[in-house]
Amino acid sequence: MEIKVESRPKSQNDIVDEEQKLPLLKDEAHPDPANKPKPTDEKTLVQKAISQTFQSTAHLANLLPTGTVLAFQLLAPIFSNQGQCDPVSRFMTACLVGLCGASSFLLSFTDSFRDKNGDVCYGFATWRGLWVIDGSATLPPEEASKYRVQFIDFMHALMSILVFAAIALFDENVVSCFYPTPSDETQEVLTALPVGIGVVCSMLFVVFPTKRHGIGFPLSVN
């Protein structure tokens, strides 16, 4: 004897229960990151090198007197007429570059100390010691002799001029003023020379650090 069991139609509550039991996320194969397609706009090696060069050159400004770099960045667009130079503006731009370079050289021989009141006094390093500029304080001869000029000061002064030259070559207004339509060879030199100067001078500054804290440079804690 067969017993027939009639299937009961599903109610709305049964349908809701089945939907709640279904997984929210399906198990799909995750793509392998190694097989991820590379973007088509990936930077070339030259673009990466140029980007890194601009970042490194920006840090080189920390090796120069703050006032010199600030004056150059402020006056270069004005003197060069935004790169559209005539003979007068080209002469003024050349004078600006020369004066800022000389300032970087001379300020490398300045140093500072704190007097008895804790005030900062600046002076120029000489062969005999430190010559205080304003004359508000004096140093004993044995103390002043510690600030006498040394060979490394000339080395840092020369590197400061080179670093400033590298920054000047990266200024579009200055380059457009002196080289409005550079040739391919000139463009290669203008691109590669600041990079070489920046790398070499940065290494020399790290290997031969200076202990001076002159005008425009960070002050010593002591």
Side-chain angles (χ1 to χ4, degrees), residues 30-42:
H30 297 284
D32 189 2
N35 298 329
K36 185 178 179 180
K38 296 182 179 180
T40 56
D41 57 345
E42 185 178 3

Side-chain angles (χ1 to χ4, degrees), residues 126-159:
T126 64
W127 297 109
R128 296 183 178 180
L130 188 67
W131 173 62
V132 183
I133 297 175
D134 55 2
S136 60
T138 57
L139 285 174
E142 63 276 3
E143 194 70 23
S145 61
K146 298 179 181 179
Y147 296 91
R148 67 179 56 181
V149 67
Q150 299 177 359
F151 172 76
I152 194 173
D153 296 324
F154 291 94
M155 183 178 177
H156 277 268
L158 178 60
M159 288 190 295

